[in-house]
Amino acid sequence: MTRMRQRIAERLKAAQNAAAMLTTFNEVDMGNLMALRSELNGPFQEAHGVKMGFVSAFMLAASQAIKKVPEVNAYIEGKEIVYKNYVDISVAVATPNGLVVPVVRDCNRKSWAQLEKDLASLAERARRGQIALEDMAGGTFTISNGGVYGSMMGTPIINPPQSSILGMHAVTKRAVVRDDQIVIRPMMYVALTYDHRLIDGREAVTFLRLIRDYVEDPRKMLLGV
């Protein structure tokens, strides 16, 4: 095992041993977000120099949802619960040497465009092996996108000392019911693994439903409502 693989193994096993992990699921209709990206990706790229990405959209949605469910962004220290007044999102990035989780800082203060710029920069540096330890330290929440590899559903593992992680999965066309009619829609399963010592089911389900609502109607998260 490489030193990085050994470290990954140690951290994952430590997370499993320490936290009372539980996963809740939901599904997201990606149609409106995909239509928005199809319509505005060109002007967005001209204005900001990056493409409109799905992960950055979920980062924006998570930043908005955390304002309403702050427990998701907290962690346990001894017998204390530490709440953060900022959102630093760790994003899992696969590299030739293994999985790394660089951190995008102050996501709660950034626009969709700035989140995409920061994420693209960190991901490129990670793939080149130019990520420093400080780039991966201090995250308060994690997003993992297994959908890029075709994952339909999975239960991500918490990145300690964080208390939750959001798992994105592949977008597939499925038959769903809308207004009592069966229609074909681009759907994504999402999963939230959380530390049940800190976060109860009500908060976890509420948070995941907020993610769903923001992504299904991007106007809400862009307006911060």
Side-chain angles (χ1 to χ4, degrees), residues 120-153:
S121 175
L122 284 171
E124 182 59 28
R125 286 166 54 199
R127 295 186 185 100
R128 292 180 179 179
Q130 298 173 343
I131 285 291
L133 289 177
E134 54 266 28
D135 293 322
M136 296 185 285
T140 61
F141 179 75
T142 295
I143 294 178
S144 177
N145 182 17
V148 295
Y149 307 109
S151 170
M152 182 186 76
M153 185 181 292

Side-chain angles (χ1 to χ4, degrees), residues 136-222:
M136 296 185 285
T140 61
F141 179 75
T142 295
I143 294 178
S144 177
N145 182 17
V148 295
Y149 307 109
S151 170
M152 182 186 76
M153 185 181 292
T155 55
I157 296 178
I158 293 170
N159 181 24
Q162 298 172 22
S163 296
S164 56
I165 177 173
L166 177 69
M168 300 169 56
H169 298 93
V171 179
T172 58
K173 290 184 178 181
R174 296 202 303 272
V176 297
V177 177
R178 293 288 184 269
D179 298 323
D180 293 330
Q181 300 293 320
I182 298 175
V183 296
I184 304 299
R185 300 293 297 171
M187 304 297 293
M188 175 194 288
Y189 289 118
V190 289
L192 181 76
T193 297
Y194 58 98
D195 189 343
H196 210 343
R197 297 177 303 162
L198 170 60
I199 303 167
D200 290 329
R202 179 183 63 179
E203 287 75 27
V205 172
T206 298
F207 177 81
L208 203 54
R209 288 181 62 185
L210 285 167
I211 295 289
R212 179 199 64 190
D213 292 346
Y214 283 136
V215 173
E216 289 189 345
D217 188 354
R219 299 172 302 172
K220 292 182 179 180
M221 64 179 176
L222 292 172

Side-chain angles (χ1 to χ4, degrees), residues 6-184:
Q6 291 178 48
R7 182 59 176 157
I8 291 171
E10 290 170 2
R11 286 183 60 82
L12 291 177
K13 189 58 183 174
Q16 188 180 50
N17 292 340
M21 286 192 284
L22 183 64
T23 305
T24 186
F25 300 92
N26 214 312
E27 59 180 358
V28 179
D29 187 331
M30 297 291 288
N32 288 334
L33 183 61
M34 293 173 70
L36 179 66
R37 189 173 72 162
S38 178
E39 179 182 353
L40 296 179
N41 189 45
F44 185 93
Q45 193 168 0
E46 288 181 10
H48 303 292
V50 290
K51 296 180 180 179
M52 297 175 74
F54 285 158
V55 174
S56 55
F58 275 83
M59 292 170 67
L60 182 61
S63 298
Q64 296 289 337
I66 282 170
K67 295 178 183 178
K68 299 180 179 180
V69 191
E71 293 84 359
V72 171
N73 199 50
Y75 69 94
I76 294 174
E77 187 174 277
K79 296 183 178 181
E80 303 290 333
I81 297 174
V82 180
Y83 291 91
K84 299 291 188 179
N85 60 2
Y86 56 88
V87 180
D88 288 353
I89 297 181
S90 306
V91 182
V93 177
T95 74
N97 296 319
L99 189 72
V100 297
V101 281
V103 180
V104 179
R105 313 286 178 184
D106 296 317
C107 296
N108 53 310
R109 300 180 181 178
K110 293 178 178 176
S111 66
W112 187 351
Q114 190 59 57
L115 289 171
E116 184 61 44
K117 287 180 182 179
D118 291 355
L119 177 60
S121 175
L122 284 171
E124 182 59 28
R125 286 166 54 199
R127 295 186 185 100
R128 292 180 179 179
Q130 298 173 343
I131 285 291
L133 289 177
E134 54 266 28
D135 293 322
M136 296 185 285
T140 61
F141 179 75
T142 295
I143 294 178
S144 177
N145 182 17
V148 295
Y149 307 109
S151 170
M152 182 186 76
M153 185 181 292
T155 55
I157 296 178
I158 293 170
N159 181 24
Q162 298 172 22
S163 296
S164 56
I165 177 173
L166 177 69
M168 300 169 56
H169 298 93
V171 179
T172 58
K173 290 184 178 181
R174 296 202 303 272
V176 297
V177 177
R178 293 288 184 269
D179 298 323
D180 293 330
Q181 300 293 320
I182 298 175
V183 296
I184 304 299

